[in-house]
Amino acid sequence: MADALSVIPASVLRNLSDKLYERRKNAALEVEGIVKQLAAAGDHDKITAVISLLTNEFTYSPQANHRKGGLIGLAAATVGLSAEAAQHLEQIVPPVLSSFSDQDSRVRYYACEALYNIAKVVRGDFIVFFNQIFDALCKLSADSDPNVQSAAHLLDRLVKDIVTESDQFSIEEFIPFVPDIDMLGFLPDFLDGLFNMLSDSSHEIRQQADSALSEFLQEIKNSPSVDYGRMAEILVQRAASPDEFTRLTAITWINEFVKLGGDQLVPYYADILIAILPCISDKEEKIRVVARETNEELRAIKADPAEGFDVEAILSVAKRQLHRVEVLSFLNDIFDTLLKALSDPSDEVVLLVLEVHACIAKDPQHFRQLLVFLVHKFQVDSSLLEKRGALIIRRLCVLLDAERVYRELSTDT
């Protein structure tokens, strides 16, 4: 420690533990400069002493501000070492990793920031600590402090980039480490990345991603508790991928989710429709078959607005997709359901239903069918005629040709 005190002024050490961030930051810049000079002189003994001082007197201090200063100091020392940092990583990284479990959320935040800056400097040399870092990131992804979560996600992205570009990463050493972690619980965090790999230029990567996704889907089938919501959002986006295999895999997952999740997926009904309706008319037959099966499964779910079923959102999705001939054919058999929706207590829902009807009625056959059904509905439900008759007719005249509407009504009445 005496060697370190001889090269770092007392004022710098004092500011490194100051309560003000700016003073700690300026002190860290001083440390960076000192270490850079020592590295240029090849004095690694003094560099080791500086790192020991930062670790023992600061990072492991009972005072939170000292710990924060120690972390920013270790990152600064790494930046000062630059290309020579690798030989000191065994000394630098462990105290930073131990700070990930600090009781003070700000210290945990600075630990993420410090490790991020260290990783940026050493890149591939960082891989030897991957298992410990992976474990820490898994825990921090569920941290109680959103700022810590955000910092952990930034670090996570950098680590992914480093692993991707490195030839030192050992999958054989990493895999035995995974069974100790509930990977299914973290699946929503990396599911999108796995789907992204399905369209990778490397056949091996595509194959491994497909294999991993198949295993996870099997785990989901066997698990009593699954967070379908977050994953459903990812699958909806991936079902619109330009890559055919990615679309097929996404729609297959959605199909399984609908079968497994049932009522749990009611709040995501509209999002799922966004995914499956375009796939019903996909150029690839396998995708069309799965999409149609999923559509049937969805229709079998007894949805109730009280359980999160958003009628308005469903109608909006249906309206956007009505230009597709295949989708239109599937809506034929829910015509009566759409007519019943005209009695909904919400005017907004009724107006949306009328827009859907108007889209369908652009086809001459459906135009006549709509008016015939509507007249019949008015005849059997006088309250609908009294409460909503004027609104329905006026809106249809706006959405469709008013003269055609009145001519057809006069023919049917």
Side-chain angles (χ1 to χ4, degrees):
M1 188 170 115
D3 281 348
L5 292 173
S6 70
V7 295
I8 303 180
S11 60
V12 172
L13 295 175
R14 201 164 44 247
N15 285 337
L16 199 57
S17 60
D18 197 275
K19 64 180 181 179
L20 295 177
Y21 170 74
E22 282 301 318
R23 288 185 180 174
R24 295 198 303 272
K25 181 182 176 182
N26 290 333
L29 290 173
E30 294 269 6
V31 170
E32 179 187 330
I34 292 167
V35 171
K36 187 179 290 185
Q37 290 176 0
L38 291 172
D43 198 340
H44 285 276
D45 287 341
K46 283 187 178 177
I47 292 172
T48 297
V50 168
I51 295 170
S52 293
L53 173 66
L54 292 171
T55 299
N56 297 323
E57 300 300 316
F58 287 84
T59 309
Y60 292 145
S61 168
Q63 301 297 321
N65 286 331
H66 278 66
R67 298 199 296 277
K68 294 173 190 174
L71 290 165
I72 195 173
L74 287 172
T78 307
V79 174
L81 282 163
S82 187
E84 297 183 57
Q87 61 186 295
H88 292 279
L89 285 182
E90 290 286 350
Q91 195 184 1
I92 293 171
V93 173
V96 179
L97 286 173
S98 69
S99 299
F100 278 11
S101 57
D102 197 283
Q103 61 182 5
D104 189 317
S105 65
R106 294 305 295 166
V107 173
R108 296 197 299 277
Y109 174 86
Y110 284 116
C112 290
E113 184 182 74
L115 202 57
Y116 183 92
N117 291 326
I118 292 167
K120 275 205 307 185
V121 172
V122 298
R123 304 298 293 188
D125 294 316
F126 196 59
I127 295 296
V128 293
F129 300 99
F130 179 80
N131 286 5
Q132 300 99 299
I133 293 166
F134 181 84
D135 182 39
L137 285 172
C138 284
K139 292 169 182 171
L140 288 181
S141 68
D143 196 277
S144 57
D145 188 321
N147 292 321
V148 175
Q149 284 189 32
S150 297
H153 289 155
L154 283 174
L155 175 59
D156 177 60
R157 283 201 288 271
L158 177 60
V159 171
K160 286 174 184 172
D161 289 342
I162 292 172
V163 169
T164 303
E165 70 188 26
S166 174
D167 57 1
Q168 299 177 44
F169 179 66
S170 172
I171 191 73
E172 290 79 13
E173 291 179 13
F174 172 62
I175 289 299
F177 177 75
V178 174
D180 297 330
I181 302 169
D182 176 19
M183 293 297 287
L184 200 57
F186 295 103
L187 182 56
D189 294 316
F190 57 83
L191 181 64
D192 194 51
L194 281 174
F195 267 89
N196 195 43
M197 293 178 190
L198 290 177
S199 56
D200 194 273
S201 57
S202 165
H203 173 72
E204 185 179 353
I205 289 177
R206 292 198 303 272
Q207 199 170 44
Q208 289 181 357
D210 181 41
S211 175
L213 284 166
S214 296
E215 289 181 21
F216 276 122
L217 187 56
Q218 191 57 49
E219 280 192 50
I220 289 171
K221 291 179 182 179
N222 297 331
S223 176
S225 176
V226 177
D227 177 10
Y228 290 104
R230 283 179 62 198
M231 290 189 283
E233 293 172 5
I234 294 168
L235 296 174
V236 166
Q237 293 174 1
R238 289 298 174 174
S241 169
D243 179 70
E244 189 177 287
F245 186 60
T246 302
R247 289 200 308 280
L248 177 60
T249 306
I251 205 70
T252 300
W253 271 61
I254 291 172
N255 180 271
E256 292 294 341
F257 273 26
V258 171
K259 290 176 182 175
L260 296 166
D263 294 345
Q264 294 178 54
L265 288 169
V266 167
Y268 309 99
Y269 200 116
D271 291 331
I272 293 171
L273 271 183
I274 290 172
I276 66 170
L277 290 181
C279 288
I280 286 173
S281 57
D282 197 277
K283 62 182 180 181
E284 172 57 44
E285 184 183 0
K286 289 180 182 177
I287 295 174
R288 293 198 302 270
V289 169
V290 179
R292 287 168 180 167
E293 181 186 322
T294 308
N295 184 66
E296 293 301 319
E297 294 282 348
L298 270 180
R299 289 171 54 200
I301 298 174
K302 302 300 181 185
D304 187 326
E307 296 172 355
F309 183 72
D310 191 339
V311 177
E312 197 169 329
I314 301 296
L315 291 171
S316 295
V317 173
K319 186 183 72 174
R320 288 199 299 272
Q321 299 297 333
L322 278 171
H323 63 282
R324 302 173 187 273
V325 175
E326 292 86 351
V327 175
L328 194 60
S329 68
F330 275 86
L331 287 173
N332 285 344
D333 53 6
I334 61 167
F335 207 85
D336 191 50
T337 303
L338 286 171
L339 281 173
K340 288 178 182 176
L342 292 173
S343 301
D344 193 278
S346 166
D347 282 346
E348 289 184 7
V349 170
V350 171
L351 291 173
L352 260 174
V353 170
L354 289 170
E355 287 187 40
V356 174
H357 276 302
C359 287
I360 299 173
K362 286 177 182 177
D363 174 77
Q365 176 190 341
H366 289 101
F367 178 83
R368 172 157 179 73
Q369 184 184 14
L370 169 62
L371 273 299
V372 169
F373 271 74
L374 193 56
V375 169
H376 176 70
K377 189 75 175 171
F378 285 154
Q379 289 173 339
V380 298
D381 186 354
S382 58
S383 64
L384 176 64
L385 178 61
E386 292 171 10
K387 294 177 182 177
R388 290 274 172 70
L391 171 66
I392 292 170
I393 299 301
R394 278 201 309 270
R395 190 59 185 158
L396 285 178
C397 285
V398 171
L399 296 169
L400 301 167
D401 181 66
E403 183 179 345
R404 279 185 68 204
V405 171
Y406 277 107
R407 281 183 180 278
E408 192 60 50
L409 284 173
S410 63
T411 303
D412 296 328
T413 52

